[in-house]
Amino acid sequence: MTGLCRKEYLELIPPTEDDSRSAQVRIFDALAKLKEPIQFSVKSLRQLSAICQTADWKITVSLSWDGSRWLITNLEAGDTTSVLYGLAVDLGSTTVVLQLVDCHTGKLLTQESVRNHQRDKGLEILSRIFYTKDRPDHLEELRQLTLKSILEGMETIKNRTNIDVYQCGSMVISGNNAMIHFLTGLDPLPIFASPYAVWADQLGFCPASDLELPLSCPVYLVPARANYLGGDIISGLMDVDIQEKEGIQAFFDVGTNGELVIGNRDFLLCGAGAAGPALEGEAVRTGMRAAKGAVTQVRLNHGEFSLTVLGNVPPAGICGSGIVDLLAELYLNGWVDNRGKLMPEMSDKIVWQPDEEEYAVCYGPKLWFYETDIQEFLKAKAAASTMVQILLQQIGLTVDDVENFYMAGAFGIHIHKESAVAIGMYPDIPPERIHQAGNTSLNGAVKLLLNRSLIEKIPDLLSRMTYVQFGAVENFLHEMVAATAIPHTNLEAYPTIEAARKLRMTENAAAKTSD
Amino acid sequence: MTGLCRKEYLELIPPTEDDSRSAQVRIFDALAKLKEPIQFSVKSLRQLSAICQTADWKITVSLSWDGSRWLITNLEAGDTTSVLYGLAVDLGSTTVVLQLVDCHTGKLLTQESVRNHQRDKGLEILSRIFYTKDRPDHLEELRQLTLKSILEGMETIKNRTNIDVYQCGSMVISGNNAMIHFLTGLDPLPIFASPYAVWADQLGFCPASDLELPLSCPVYLVPARANYLGGDIISGLMDVDIQEKEGIQAFFDVGTNGELVIGNRDFLLCGAGAAGPALEGEAVRTGMRAAKGAVTQVRLNHGEFSLTVLGNVPPAGICGSGIVDLLAELYLNGWVDNRGKLMPEMSDKIVWQPDEEEYAVCYGPKLWFYETDIQEFLKAKAAASTMVQILLQQIGLTVDDVENFYMAGAFGIHIHKESAVAIGMYPDIPPERIHQAGNTSLNGAVKLLLNRSLIEKIPDLLSRMTYVQFGAVENFLHEMVAATAIPHTNLEAYPTIEAARKLRMTENAAAKTSD
C-alpha cells in the first residue's frame, strides 16, 4: 500500500573522476526502482551539499506525492526511514480536528481538537458566508482564521509530541465546501444560492505555499460532489466504504445539515438538506453542544429521570443525543403523544408555563423542555428521516433492503440507537445494522494519507454518485409532515416501537398499582 | 507544435439548477480535449468569481506546462488567445540576455541585455565561486545578484513594451553550471574541483516561487551534461541541432572556456576546457570586450592598418575578433613569423619597447600589440583548436570529415572566418562550412519555449553524449604545443594559408617596387 509520502534510505557511492554524475543524478538513479516520476524541490537540492558530506553519502530522501509525481521535499543524514509522519485534518465548521499519523505503521500518534476561529465571524456557516458577501477583505479574514485554527492545532501537537509537524510528509484536509472555500479564499456565496454551482470543488493536491501553510509537502484537499455534498462526505465514504460493498448501504452524516449516500458497488444515490440546528442541541431553550455539562443520556423509570452528564459537573443543558433519549423516554412512557403534545396528566413534572403559555417538562434541576422545543426537534428529525425515506423511494427500496446504516458525526457517537428508533429518527431495524461511525471525515482523511490508490479512485466515485435535489422531489414535504409524528404517522413502519410503548406503559401502570 | 504555454478561449454555459457543475469542473470538461492532465493554481481559482461573472462565462484560460501537467495560471475575460508571451533567458556570466517571444506566432518581440550583477563579486567565474566557499551568506548574495539581473531585464522590457512580462506563460533559462548553481543557491565549488561532480545539473521545471521569481508560470532551467558542459550548451544544441543530422557536425562555443560537441544522429562526443581569456579580448594589454570603441576588424594593406570600430567613436582597444584579424593580417603580410615573433624589418610600425623589453606593433592611435600579447593569444587559440583536433582523433576522423562547424558565442559573431583560418584557429576548410551561429544558448532557449517535444528529447540527448576529459587524453599537451604556431606546426593541414601568404607578400613586394 503506497501512501502520500515515503522515505528511501540510499547508500550512494561518492563521486570519482571516473563517475562524476551529479548528486542529483545519483539520487535519481537510485530511485529509478520506484518507476515513477520524481522531482526535487529547489529547497531540497540546497540540502545536498551539507547532508551528503556529513553523512558520507548515506542519506534518507523524503518523497511526497503531488498528484503526478514524487516531490523530494527533504534530505536527512543516515537512515531515518522509520520516522514518517502525516497529518489528517477534519476542517469542521465548529471544531478542527487534527490527527498525527505514523505513516510507517499507520498508527495514530496523537489527536488535537481546536476551535474553528471562523466562529469569531458567525456561529452559523451561513452568517460567515454572508459576512464575506462583496467583501474580499472579510473573505481574507476568514481565510486567515481558518489557517490560524489549523496552525494552532499543529503547534499544540508539536509542543506535546516534540515532533516537528511542519516537516510532515503529507497532509489531507477534508471539509465541506464552505470550509474549503474559506481555506482557499474562494467566494463561498454560490454554495447557498441558486443555482448552487460553486466556484471550485476539485481542489485535490495543492502546493502548501498556495495555501500559505508552512509545509514542504503538497496538501490534498478532498474533492466534493455537490454544493452541500462536500469533501467531508467523500472522505467519509473512504472510511465507511459503502461504494465497494455488495449489499445496499446507507451513509448518513446528520447535524444542522444532513448528507446522505445510499447504494453499493453498483449504484450510489446521494442528497443533502437542512435538518435544523435542533439536532445539534441548538434552537431548543436548554439545548447545548456535546460539551462539559451536557446531558447526553436520559432514562425515565417509574416517573423519575436519571441523567448522564459529560464531565463531572451538574447538568447545564442537553445535547442532541440527550434530546433523542428524552423524547424517546417521554414517548415510551406515554408522557408525550405521537404529535409531540405533552400529557400533563401523566406526571407532575409536566407543568403549565404561564409566561410561555405552553407546557414544559422538568427533566433535571432547573432544566425544562418545552412543547415548542419538542416541535422544533421533531421537525429536524423529520427532515433527516425523510431524506432516507425519499432516497430509498427513488430506487423503489425500503429500509428493510438496507444492510447497514452508517451514522457519522458527533451526533452519532453519543446517541442511543434504540431511542433514535423510538422517535422515528432512525428506521425501525435491528440495532446491529446501525453503526455509529464517528468522525468519518477524519477517519477517511487518515485512510487517504495512507493509501494513494483511494485518491486515484475518487474521480470515478464522484462520477458514479447521482445527486438527488430533495427540493425537486414532489412528495418531499408531504413525507416530511408525516415524519414529524413520533415515531411516524405510518405506525406500521415502526412495529417494534408500538409494542415497546405498550409494554412500558403496562409495566408503569403495574408498578403504580403495586405502590 | 506545442510550446510550454498555451491559451484556450472557452465559451462556458452558465450554471443552472439542472447543471450545477462547479466553474472549475466546467473548465476541466471544456479542456478535456487536450487529453493531458490539468491543474488549477489556487490563485487562478480565486479569479473565477470575478472573471466568469464580468465576462458572462466567456473566458480565456492560460496554461503553463510544468513537466507533468498543464497548470492553469491565469484567467482573463473574453478572448485573449492572441496575446501569449514567453521569456527566454541566456544567463551568461558577463551579460544576461532576455528575449520576449510571442508564443502565438513564434516571433521575437524584443531583446534586452543586462549586466550580470554577479560581476560585483568577481569578473572571473572562478573568483565568484571562491567568494562563496564556506560562506552561505556570500552564496545568497550571488543568488540575489543573479535574480536582480534577470528582474532588471524583465523590468526594462516591461517598461519598453508595456507588456506585463510577469504574466508571461513560460520562461526558459539556460546558463552554464555556475550560473544555474548561483541562481538556485547551490554550492558551486564542485564545478571546478575534482572529482567535478556537481550537486545538481538536472533542474528542469521549477516552480517560480522556488527561485523567488515573481511569475505564475513554472521556469524551465535547461539541464547540463557535465560540470563544464552546462545547460547553455544543451540549449545551444537545440539551436544548431547537430544531433539530428546525418553528416558529421561540430558545435563549438569558445570564449574563456571552450565547449565542443562533435557528432551526428548516430554519435555525440563532447568535451570542454579552458582556452584562456585572450579569446575574449582579455589578458592582452589593449584588449577589451566587444563593446563600444572596440576594434572588431583589422585590415593591413600596403603597410597601413584600417580598423572597424564598434560605435561611432575612436578605437579604445581590441576585442577577440579584432585580434584574430590583426594576427592574420600580420602573418599574411609577413610582419610576424609562424612562431608569433614580430619582424621589425617589415615595418617601422614595429617598434622596440624599452620598458617592456620586447617588440610591439602600433595597430592604431596609441594602440600597441606586444609580442607577449601575441603569445598569450596563440596559447588560447591553440587550446581551442586542439580540442577540435583531439575530439576528432578519438573517433579517427579529420576536419575534412566534418560537414559543418557551428561557432557559437559573441566571439563567432564578429570574427572573419578567413582570418580565423589564417591563424589556425579554425580548420582550413571552405568558409561556407563554417557557420557563425550567434547566441545559440539564447536561440535554443527560444526553441524550447516554443516546442515542448524538444524538452522531452533532452534526457535521451544527454545519455547519448560521451564526455571526453581532455586532461586524460595522452597527446593533448603535445598537440597543443604544435597548434601554438601560426597557423600550425603542420603546415600541410593549412594548404590554402601558405598560398595566400605567398601571394600577399608577392603583391606587397610588387607594390613597393612600383612606388
Side-chain angles (χ1 to χ4, degrees):
Chain A
M1 201 161 83
T2 305
L4 296 186
C5 60
R6 64 191 301 157
K7 278 186 172 180
E8 293 289 333
Y9 172 60
L10 307 175
E11 297 194 347
L12 300 170
I13 299 162
T16 60
E17 288 205 8
D18 289 335
D19 173 10
S20 61
R21 284 172 300 151
S22 65
Q24 185 188 22
V25 168
R26 279 163 207 279
I27 292 172
F28 279 149
D29 289 349
L31 294 177
K33 62 182 177 185
L34 299 184
K35 296 187 197 307
E36 289 186 305
I38 291 169
Q39 186 166 21
F40 269 92
S41 71
V42 170
K43 183 183 141 280
S44 61
L45 288 175
R46 287 187 193 137
Q47 297 178 286
L48 279 167
S49 165
I51 300 276
C52 287
Q53 287 176 88
T54 57
D56 194 25
W57 297 81
K58 293 174 176 63
I59 63 169
T60 299
V61 177
S62 296
L63 302 111
S64 297
W65 188 251
D66 86 343
S68 303
R69 57 202 164 192
W70 288 109
L71 194 63
I72 298 183
T73 54
N74 196 30
L75 305 177
E76 291 165 295
D79 185 352
T80 67
T81 47
S82 63
V83 181
L84 184 65
Y85 304 116
L87 272 170
V89 180
D90 168 41
L91 187 55
S93 57
T94 307
T95 309
V96 179
V97 191
L98 299 91
Q99 284 194 344
L100 182 69
V101 177
D102 182 333
C103 296
H104 205 64
T105 62
K107 276 188 192 148
L108 167 66
L109 294 172
T110 192
Q111 172 169 321
E112 178 64 22
S113 297
V114 291
R115 176 174 184 275
N116 186 336
H117 292 290
Q118 291 174 8
R119 284 157 70 186
D120 294 356
K121 302 298 169 188
L123 286 181
E124 303 293 314
I125 294 184
L126 204 54
S127 60
R128 296 177 208 168
I129 289 181
F130 278 114
Y131 180 72
T132 68
K133 189 168 187 289
D134 300 324
R135 288 295 298 261
D137 54 332
H138 284 182
L139 180 55
E140 176 61 16
E141 269 182 53
L142 275 167
R143 195 180 72 80
Q144 293 290 352
L145 290 169
T146 315
L147 277 182
K148 181 184 165 190
S149 311
I150 296 172
L151 291 172
E152 193 175 295
M154 289 176 68
E155 195 63 23
T156 306
I157 290 180
K158 187 188 170 193
N159 292 336
R160 185 196 303 149
T161 59
N162 272 322
I163 292 170
D164 183 4
V165 289
Y166 303 102
Q167 284 293 338
C168 67
S170 52
M171 184 188 256
V172 172
I173 301 180
S174 68
N176 64 35
N177 268 314
M179 294 304 107
I180 299 300
H181 274 56
F182 287 138
L183 173 64
T184 49
L186 294 171
D187 169 21
L189 209 63
I191 299 172
F192 279 82
S194 174
Y196 309 107
V198 301
W199 293 114
D201 48 10
Q202 309 297 314
L203 270 293
F205 287 99
C206 299
S209 58
D210 272 19
L211 304 173
E212 290 178 27
L213 280 168
L215 301 170
S216 30
C217 66
V219 177
Y220 182 74
L221 306 183
V222 185
R225 170 60 185 82
N227 64 324
Y228 294 140
L229 259 163
D232 52 341
I233 300 306
I234 303 306
S235 183
L237 286 175
M238 296 296 125
D239 184 33
V240 297
D241 209 24
I242 69 172
Q243 65 278 9
E244 301 286 339
K245 290 179 180 152
E246 196 178 341
I248 291 163
Q249 319 287 326
F251 169 54
F252 203 7
D253 189 348
V254 68
T256 300
N257 297 297
E259 296 94 25
L260 174 65
V261 188
I262 290 180
N264 62 3
R265 63 189 187 194
D266 298 321
F267 76 94
L268 289 167
L269 229 58
C270 58
L279 296 187
E280 294 183 270
E282 292 179 355
V284 299
R285 287 180 186 71
T286 54
M288 65 182 288
R289 288 187 172 265
K292 205 173 183 180
V295 173
T296 57
Q297 291 180 29
V298 177
R299 284 291 160 268
L300 172 56
N301 284 316
H302 311 304
E304 293 301 326
F305 286 105
S306 57
L307 308 178
T308 306
V309 182
L310 270 183
N312 195 14
V313 292
I318 188 162
C319 72
S321 62
I323 300 172
V324 170
D325 256 10
L326 175 62
L327 292 192
E329 291 293 293
L330 291 175
Y331 181 67
L332 293 175
N333 282 278
W335 289 23
V336 75
D337 72 5
N338 81 329
R339 288 283 149 203
K341 204 170 160 307
L342 283 167
M343 314 292 272
E345 65 273 24
M346 295 297 288
S347 167
D348 53 11
K349 291 191 195 303
I350 301 173
V351 180
W352 178 257
Q353 309 287 320
D355 288 351
E356 280 84 358
E357 298 190 334
E358 59 173 309
Y359 281 100
V361 57
C362 182
Y363 66 95
K366 294 186 194 161
L367 293 172
W368 294 86
F369 209 82
Y370 290 74
E371 229 167 50
T372 47
D373 291 338
I374 296 175
Q375 296 307 328
E376 192 65 32
F377 194 85
L378 290 181
K379 274 191 282 177
K381 81 97 188 173
S385 66
T386 305
M387 290 181 207
V388 179
Q389 189 68 18
I390 289 289
L391 225 48
L392 286 169
Q393 279 180 9
Q394 299 288 310
I395 37 177
L397 297 178
T398 71
V399 291
D400 293 322
D401 299 309
V402 179
E403 198 173 78
N404 293 290
F405 272 84
Y406 296 93
M407 304 302 298
F411 185 79
I413 294 173
H414 297 289
I415 212 164
H416 259 121
K417 297 177 201 176
E418 291 80 358
S419 298
V421 174
I423 64 162
M425 178 155 177
Y426 287 2
D428 192 2
I429 58 173
E432 62 271 18
R433 282 164 55 198
I434 301 176
H435 307 274
Q436 320 285 47
N439 190 340
T440 52
S441 165
L442 184 61
N443 299 343
V446 171
K447 289 193 177 169
L448 292 168
L449 270 186
L450 298 173
N451 188 356
R452 205 177 90 192
S453 69
L454 290 180
I455 283 179
E456 285 152 11
K457 285 180 181 175
I458 286 182
D460 174 60
L461 172 65
L462 294 175
S463 71
R464 283 173 53 204
M465 292 170 74
T466 305
Y467 188 64
V468 175
Q469 289 276 12
F470 287 130
V473 175
E474 231 173 69
N475 58 337
F476 191 91
L477 263 181
H478 178 259
E479 290 284 352
M480 198 173 122
V481 170
T484 317
I486 310 177
H488 196 276
T489 309
N490 174 19
L491 286 178
E492 283 174 21
Y494 284 83
T496 69
I497 301 310
E498 284 321 285
R501 186 170 193 247
K502 272 176 197 150
L503 179 65
R504 186 85 81 92
M505 288 179 72
T506 310
E507 283 171 1
N508 283 351
K512 217 168 196 168
T513 309
S514 71
D515 279 351
Chain B
M1 200 162 82
T2 306
L4 297 186
C5 60
R6 65 190 300 159
K7 277 186 173 181
E8 294 289 335
Y9 171 61
L10 307 176
E11 297 194 348
L12 300 170
I13 299 162
T16 59
E17 287 205 9
D18 287 335
D19 173 11
S20 61
R21 284 172 301 151
S22 66
Q24 185 187 22
V25 169
R26 277 163 208 280
I27 293 172
F28 279 149
D29 289 349
L31 294 176
K33 61 183 178 185
L34 299 184
K35 296 188 198 306
E36 288 185 306
I38 291 170
Q39 186 167 22
F40 270 93
S41 71
V42 170
K43 183 183 140 282
S44 60
L45 288 176
R46 286 185 195 138
Q47 298 178 288
L48 279 169
S49 165
I51 300 278
C52 287
Q53 288 176 85
T54 58
D56 193 25
W57 296 81
K58 294 176 176 61
I59 63 168
T60 300
V61 176
S62 296
L63 302 112
S64 297
W65 188 249
D66 85 344
S68 302
R69 58 200 165 194
W70 289 109
L71 194 63
I72 298 182
T73 55
N74 196 29
L75 304 178
E76 290 165 296
D79 185 351
T80 67
T81 48
S82 64
V83 181
L84 183 66
Y85 303 114
L87 273 169
V89 181
D90 168 41
L91 186 56
S93 58
T94 307
T95 309
V96 180
V97 191
L98 299 91
Q99 283 193 346
L100 182 68
V101 177
D102 182 332
C103 296
H104 204 63
T105 62
K107 275 189 192 147
L108 168 66
L109 294 173
T110 191
Q111 172 169 322
E112 178 62 24
S113 297
V114 291
R115 177 175 185 274
N116 186 335
H117 293 289
Q118 291 173 8
R119 284 156 71 186
D120 294 354
K121 303 298 169 187
L123 286 180
E124 303 294 314
I125 294 183
L126 204 54
S127 60
R128 297 177 207 168
I129 290 181
F130 279 114
Y131 179 72
T132 68
K133 189 170 188 287
D134 302 323
R135 289 292 299 262
D137 53 333
H138 285 181
L139 179 55
E140 175 61 14
E141 270 181 51
L142 276 166
R143 193 180 73 80
Q144 293 290 351
L145 289 168
T146 315
L147 276 182
K148 181 183 165 189
S149 312
I150 295 173
L151 291 173
E152 194 176 294
M154 288 176 68
E155 194 62 23
T156 306
I157 290 180
K158 187 187 170 193
N159 292 336
R160 186 196 304 146
T161 59
N162 271 323
I163 292 170
D164 183 3
V165 290
Y166 303 103
Q167 285 292 339
C168 67
S170 51
M171 184 188 256
V172 172
I173 302 179
S174 68
N176 64 35
N177 269 313
M179 293 305 107
I180 299 298
H181 275 57
F182 286 138
L183 172 65
T184 49
L186 294 170
D187 169 21
L189 209 64
I191 299 172
F192 279 82
S194 174
Y196 308 107
V198 301
W199 292 115
D201 49 10
Q202 309 297 316
L203 271 292
F205 288 98
C206 300
S209 58
D210 273 19
L211 304 173
E212 292 179 25
L213 280 168
L215 301 170
S216 30
C217 65
V219 178
Y220 182 74
L221 305 183
V222 185
R225 170 60 185 81
N227 63 325
Y228 294 140
L229 260 163
D232 51 341
I233 301 306
I234 303 306
S235 182
L237 286 175
M238 295 296 125
D239 185 32
V240 297
D241 209 26
I242 69 173
Q243 65 278 7
E244 300 286 340
K245 290 179 179 152
E246 194 177 343
I248 291 164
Q249 319 287 326
F251 169 55
F252 202 9
D253 188 348
V254 70
T256 302
N257 296 296
E259 297 94 24
L260 175 64
V261 188
I262 290 179
N264 62 4
R265 62 188 187 193
D266 298 321
F267 76 94
L268 290 166
L269 229 58
C270 59
L279 296 187
E280 294 184 90
E282 292 181 356
V284 299
R285 286 179 188 71
T286 54
M288 65 182 286
R289 288 187 172 265
K292 206 173 184 178
V295 173
T296 57
Q297 293 182 26
V298 178
R299 284 291 161 269
L300 173 55
N301 285 315
H302 311 303
E304 294 300 327
F305 287 104
S306 56
L307 309 179
T308 305
V309 182
L310 270 183
N312 196 15
V313 292
I318 189 161
C319 71
S321 63
I323 300 172
V324 170
D325 256 8
L326 176 62
L327 292 191
E329 291 294 292
L330 291 175
Y331 181 67
L332 293 174
N333 283 279
W335 290 23
V336 75
D337 73 4
N338 81 329
R339 287 283 148 204
K341 205 171 159 300
L342 284 166
M343 314 292 271
E345 65 274 23
M346 295 298 286
S347 166
D348 52 11
K349 291 193 196 305
I350 300 172
V351 181
W352 178 257
Q353 309 288 319
D355 288 351
E356 280 83 358
E357 296 189 336
E358 59 174 307
Y359 281 101
V361 57
C362 182
Y363 66 95
K366 293 184 194 163
L367 293 172
W368 294 88
F369 210 82
Y370 290 74
E371 229 168 51
T372 47
D373 291 338
I374 297 175
Q375 297 306 328
E376 192 65 34
F377 195 87
L378 291 181
K379 274 191 283 176
K381 81 98 187 172
S385 66
T386 305
M387 290 182 207
V388 179
Q389 190 68 17
I390 289 289
L391 225 49
L392 286 169
Q393 279 180 10
Q394 298 288 311
I395 37 177
L397 297 177
T398 72
V399 289
D400 293 323
D401 299 310
V402 179
E403 197 173 79
N404 294 291
F405 272 83
Y406 297 94
M407 305 301 300
F411 186 79
I413 294 173
H414 298 291
I415 213 164
H416 259 121
K417 297 177 201 177
E418 292 78 0
S419 299
V421 175
I423 64 164
M425 178 155 177
Y426 287 2
D428 191 2
I429 58 172
E432 63 271 20
R433 281 164 57 199
I434 302 175
H435 307 273
Q436 320 285 45
N439 190 341
T440 52
S441 165
L442 183 61
N443 299 343
V446 171
K447 289 194 177 169
L448 291 169
L449 268 186
L450 298 173
N451 189 355
R452 205 177 91 193
S453 68
L454 290 179
I455 284 180
E456 284 151 12
K457 284 180 180 175
I458 287 182
D460 175 60
L461 173 66
L462 294 175
S463 71
R464 284 172 55 204
M465 292 170 72
T466 306
Y467 188 64
V468 176
Q469 289 276 11
F470 288 131
V473 175
E474 230 172 71
N475 56 337
F476 191 91
L477 265 180
H478 177 260
E479 290 284 355
M480 198 171 121
V481 170
T484 317
I486 310 178
H488 195 275
T489 310
N490 173 21
L491 286 178
E492 284 173 20
Y494 286 82
T496 71
I497 301 311
E498 285 320 285
R501 188 171 191 245
K502 271 176 197 151
L503 180 64
R504 185 84 80 94
M505 288 178 72
T506 310
E507 283 171 2
N508 284 350
K512 216 167 198 171
T513 310
S514 71
D515 281 349

